Amino acid sequence: MDRVALRGLKARGHHGVFPREREEGQTFIVDLVLGLDTRPAAADDDLAKTVHYGIVAEEVVAVVQGEPVNLIETLAERIAQVCLKHEGVREVEVCVHKPDAPITVPFDDVTVTITRSRV
């Protein structure tokens, strides 16, 4: 399976279990790795035979900016389901970064990474 990766998609969302997170929001960063067969697109040099990563990026940002959830695990699952709606995408790895998580000790990042595929 071939891979198309999008790294560092940034969007502001209002996800989290604490009222402050819901009210003020924060930046989330998403990395995606889409698994698909790119040979048909490459053979014909045809965008219609692959995944349009620009559209995927817009859809992912819309999920992050959309309805708030408590957990970034839930956010990652919603993002994965949006990606799998694209016909050629057979598998997706989603990593959601929450660099401003409400943690009381110094840290660089908090991430949740999931892999989902078509059944």
Side-chain angles (χ1 to χ4, degrees), residues 53-80:
Y53 51 79
I55 291 173
V56 172
E58 291 171 358
E59 292 172 350
V60 168
V61 165
V63 171
V64 174
Q65 293 173 337
E67 181 183 346
V69 296
N70 289 331
L71 304 176
I72 58 174
E73 291 87 342
T74 306
L75 183 60
E77 185 67 36
R78 288 183 177 181
I79 291 168

Side-chain angles (χ1 to χ4, degrees), residues 27-71:
T27 298
F28 293 85
I29 302 166
V30 178
D31 300 325
L32 300 173
V33 180
L34 307 170
L36 63 150
D37 183 357
T38 63
R39 288 175 293 191
D44 295 335
D45 199 26
D46 186 353
L47 177 60
K49 295 182 178 180
T50 189
V51 64
H52 191 310
Y53 51 79
I55 291 173
V56 172
E58 291 171 358
E59 292 172 350
V60 168
V61 165
V63 171
V64 174
Q65 293 173 337
E67 181 183 346
V69 296
N70 289 331
L71 304 176

